[in-house]
Amino acid sequence: MSDFLRFSRRTLQTPVHHFIHPDTGRRIAVIGTMHMGEPAYFAGLRTVIDGLEEDGAVVQCEASSLLLPDEQTEQTLTDDERVVLDMRNRRTELELRRVNELGWVRQLDALGYPARWQKVDLGIVEIIRLVGTETMLRNEVRAIKMFDRPDNDPRSIERFRLLLHFVFTGFRVSVWSSARRAARPGTPASGIDAVLIDQRDAFALEALWGTEQNTVLIWGCAHLPGLEAGITAAGFVRDGATQWHTAAVLPTVRSILSRLRALRRTACAAGPADPAVPDTAAVEHDATPVETSPLP
């Protein structure tokens, strides 16, 4: 699993792996990503990608959130599907606010996704229909609850930083699960990951074999084990050392708790504040949050 993601204490790093086919000489670079992180992280990744493009490589990337329904598909959406899409838009809005408060950026915004990049992925409506609206809605509501915190409230920001320690640990579990399946061919994913991971991996590999050009793959780290299993099965071998890029460095849990205690004392001295009503209070669906893989 350490080949695909590193989270040591408070530093999270993602890899760039290079492959070459010993007979054809074709090269494939697999760039693992987090979908949000520090600006310097994405600047570093973009430098790597730009260099590979200058050498003649084509870029194929995951981009389900960019593959929006066309007019014909829009007319076939059910009411439940429209609700899921509305919840996704709400989650995206809240996510952007929280990421900005941390001084971070989102992958979609930071990398830019120029028109020449091939968006090779299942579209969001196709994912909703494969997973099911009920399950997708549960996961969107779960994400909304995570990001829905008072704006520019120092205590809220510190609590979110604390939450990220657990979120990053969850990412490690997701990547570990993908790596374990990839090491045991024929072991299917269960639940939502059968679509969000396995079917999208298969879609990406099909597109990869549709060209003979040198290729750059840009995918979230949970996809790397499945993608690399397919690449090595086609006769490619690792070329060179892994390049590690630091996505984010979190404050220590101790420092976060210390700041929270100080902020609590300050708030108590200032008197009670008016209670804030969270945006999730407007969500009328009875949904139990479940674990899911992030979509870009």
Side-chain angles (χ1 to χ4, degrees), residues 12-219:
L12 188 140
Q13 295 180 313
T14 63
V16 176
H17 293 152
H18 296 270
F19 295 84
I20 187 170
H21 197 286
D23 297 329
T24 67
R26 181 186 177 187
R27 293 183 175 274
I28 299 173
V30 182
I31 298 180
T33 65
M34 291 296 298
H35 296 322
M36 60 181 180
E38 297 171 358
Y41 165 63
F42 291 109
L45 292 183
R46 190 58 196 265
T47 297
V48 173
I49 297 165
D50 290 347
L52 292 167
E53 284 192 283
E54 289 174 3
D55 290 339
V58 63
V59 175
Q60 296 181 343
C61 54
E62 73 171 313
S64 61
S65 295
L66 296 179
L67 299 175
L68 300 176
D70 57 25
E71 184 176 350
Q72 183 176 1
T73 304
E74 183 79 29
Q75 293 174 353
T76 68
L77 292 173
T78 67
D79 289 343
D80 287 344
E81 289 168 350
R82 293 181 190 277
V83 169
V84 174
L85 290 172
D86 287 345
M87 290 296 101
R88 282 185 60 79
N89 290 337
R90 177 59 176 156
R91 188 259 293 168
T92 298
E93 175 189 344
L94 291 170
E95 177 184 334
L96 183 57
R97 291 183 190 176
R98 304 306 159 241
V99 168
N100 287 342
E101 285 180 342
L102 295 175
W104 294 1
V105 289
R106 295 188 311 155
Q107 176 179 328
L108 286 174
D109 302 319
L111 293 185
Y113 287 74
R116 66 180 179 275
W117 288 8
Q118 299 175 16
K119 285 72 173 178
V120 178
D121 204 345
L122 299 177
I124 185 57
V125 172
E126 189 172 4
I127 289 174
I128 291 171
R129 289 173 176 174
L130 288 169
V131 171
T133 54
E134 184 177 348
T135 300
M136 287 295 292
L137 184 59
R138 280 201 302 268
N139 285 277
E140 294 303 330
V141 171
R142 173 180 177 270
I144 286 174
K145 288 180 178 179
M146 182 177 75
F147 291 117
D148 190 8
R149 297 169 179 273
D151 289 343
N152 300 315
D153 179 340
R155 286 179 293 177
S156 175
I157 295 170
E158 294 302 331
R159 291 185 187 113
F160 187 60
R161 287 194 176 102
L162 184 62
L163 176 63
L164 285 174
H165 277 273
F166 296 98
V167 171
F168 284 0
T169 299
F171 288 155
R172 288 184 64 190
V173 173
S174 179
V175 173
W176 173 83
S177 177
S178 293
R180 186 180 181 190
R181 290 199 311 276
R184 301 160 68 182
T187 304
S190 59
I192 194 171
D193 280 351
V195 174
L196 294 188
I197 303 295
D198 287 7
Q199 288 198 35
R200 295 169 73 205
D201 288 356
F203 196 88
L205 288 169
E206 182 179 0
L208 179 63
W209 308 136
T211 178
E212 296 180 354
Q213 287 182 260
N214 293 344
T215 309
V216 180
L217 300 182
I218 307 172
W219 280 82

Side-chain angles (χ1 to χ4, degrees), residues 234-267:
F236 286 79
V237 295
R238 285 269 187 96
D239 182 41
T242 300
Q243 301 169 336
W244 289 98
H245 293 258
T246 298
V249 180
L250 296 175
T252 65
V253 171
R254 178 178 295 181
S255 68
I256 295 172
L257 294 176
S258 177
R259 284 196 293 273
L260 280 171
R261 285 192 293 268
L263 289 166
R264 188 180 301 115
R265 288 194 295 269
T266 301

